[in-house]
Amino acid sequence: MMKQNWWKSAYKQNHFIFKFAISILFVGFGFRLLFSQSSTAIPNVSNNNNINNNNNDDNNNDNKTPVFVKDENPISSDFADSPKIVNGFHPKDKDSERCDIFDGEWIPNSGGPIYTNNSCRWIESHQNCMGNGRPDTGYLHWKWSPKSCELPAFDARKFLETMRDKTWAFVGDSITRNHLQSFICLLSEVEDAVELFHDNDYKNRKWHFPSYNLTVWVMWSPFLAKAEIFEDVDGVSSSEIKLHIDVLDKTWTEQFDTWDYVLFSSGKWFIKTAIYYENDAILGCHGCQGKNYTDLGFNFAYRKILKNLFKFIMNSNRKSMIIFRTSTPDHFENGEWSSGGTCNRAVPAKEGDFELGDLNRILREVELPEFSKAEDEASEKGIKLKLLDVMPLSLLRPDGHPGPYRHFYPFAKDKHAKVQYDCLHWCLPGPIDQWNDLLMNLVMDD
């Protein structure tokens, strides 16, 4: 009887323990289920930041966890892109096995420039940095190196031999003219160019290399379209620009059929205040505060004119090679052109030093898709159309601008003198010479 009572007592005790254990398991499972559901309801902080902070240089879809933002923010410039964004916008070569010459880095070059301000007489005073007293020379000793191939330096003699009996033209703004001067200086190391023509302002010019019968033009057409401009040499406007977005500039269209190679470029001028005309009637404007016009934005005009440009090229009977050069960055810091901006750097920038700026991003978001569409049509029609994307390598060279040395010895009388800096154009010689390495590669690779 005692054994039976003990067994019943033990059974009741064990049964209680068993039920208690089961209860614990269910409670634990419930907490686990609740915690799991709560965790999935919490939004991903990193992804949220990516959505709401598109202008943050740390915005990267590869980051899956929150990160601390550095106290030292990268410099924000309206014309500066981070290299990641620049390369992201760059359309990839349709032949994936070919080297992307626009994706690379600047490496030291002990050899230095091919020409100097003493050996080339075609350098304009505002880009003659050495002649104007720039004291450092380190900016001259770098070269652009693509990541997956070798980029040969510009070979002037080979270029001249290849271009016998040809005609070249550079059509665009003052940066185009800056590029043209580098081009002429490089070729003049083999044979000095003979100038055949220039207008009163030296904006439209023509040269000849007699031994090779090569003719080179530069045509000033900052919008590539018909425009009435009211601006002095320092960029000060007395009135809004009148831009006819439906009419290409006859300055170059009337000469187009005489050229074998044409390089077009534009961009920066579209940011300026302008009244837009279509069919000789006011359509709208950009930045025209105080006027009763619709502000269409400069991207509207830029896209419209590029469409007209490429349409003109596609409908032309001339089988020229067409090169379209992308817009370029400036490197103003602590202000802009007209507000005390400076550029005093002496070495190339590192990746990430300059973050994406809205204005230059808009220019690229217009020009690269428009070029891509035109490239597809050109391929179908057998037209040679190539892209010269100088943004990636130029972005990393804040040291390559004239800065205060757009003026002749600006600090000779007062080392603290306040002078206007040029952080848009490029010293000659300087990083802009490497654009011609890329240009020769495009032409010879045809």
Side-chain angles (χ1 to χ4, degrees), residues 9 17 67 92-93 185 288 290 328 394 410:
S9 175
I17 293 172
V67 295
K92 297 299 182 183
D93 195 312
C185 285
C288 53
T328 61
S394 304

Side-chain angles (χ1 to χ4, degrees), residues 163-317:
M163 296 298 158
R164 282 186 181 275
D165 305 320
K166 303 297 183 183
T167 301
W168 271 75
F170 289 67
V171 182
D173 55 20
S174 58
I175 300 177
T176 305
R177 190 164 65 247
N178 196 179
H179 182 192
L180 176 278
Q181 291 169 45
S182 167
F183 182 79
I184 292 290
C185 285
L186 289 168
L187 295 179
S188 290
E189 287 298 295
V190 174
E191 180 178 61
D192 192 25
V194 176
E195 187 171 26
L196 301 180
F197 161 82
H198 65 76
D199 62 8
N200 292 335
D201 296 324
Y202 287 83
K203 291 182 176 180
N204 299 301
R205 304 174 74 174
K206 181 181 180 182
W207 290 267
H208 189 238
F209 293 87
S211 299
Y212 302 89
N213 193 29
L214 170 63
T215 305
V216 180
W217 283 86
V218 62
M219 309 291 283
W220 191 72
S221 184
F223 293 100
L224 305 177
K226 179 182 177 181
E228 298 169 56
I229 300 170
F230 311 93
E231 189 172 286
D232 64 19
V233 68
D234 291 320
V236 179
S237 299
S238 58
S239 184
E240 297 92 351
I241 295 165
K242 296 179 180 179
L243 178 60
H244 298 259
I245 63 173
D246 58 335
V247 182
L248 294 174
D249 187 358
K250 67 178 182 179
T251 303
W252 67 263
T253 58
E254 292 179 350
Q255 299 287 338
F256 181 82
D257 286 342
T258 67
W259 300 329
D260 299 297
Y261 294 83
V262 192
L263 185 148
F264 289 104
S265 56
S266 189
K268 285 292 190 288
W269 275 76
F270 284 87
I271 297 167
K272 296 174 180 283
T273 299
I275 309 297
Y276 298 152
Y277 288 76
E278 192 170 52
N279 297 321
D280 289 325
I282 294 177
L283 181 66
C285 70
H286 164 62
C288 53
Q289 297 179 0
K291 295 187 180 293
N292 191 26
Y293 303 140
T294 302
D295 196 322
L296 299 171
F298 67 86
N299 55 332
F300 171 83
Y302 192 33
R303 181 176 289 106
K304 178 79 172 181
I305 290 173
L306 287 187
K307 285 182 181 294
N308 289 341
L309 169 69
F310 292 128
K311 181 179 179 181
F312 176 90
I313 293 169
M314 298 306 152
N315 293 335
S316 173
N317 292 324

Side-chain angles (χ1 to χ4, degrees), residues 53-64:
N53 295 292
N54 290 329
N55 289 330
N56 192 322
D57 194 53
D58 291 326
N59 177 25
N60 189 327
N61 291 332
D62 292 333
N63 295 335
K64 299 302 182 183

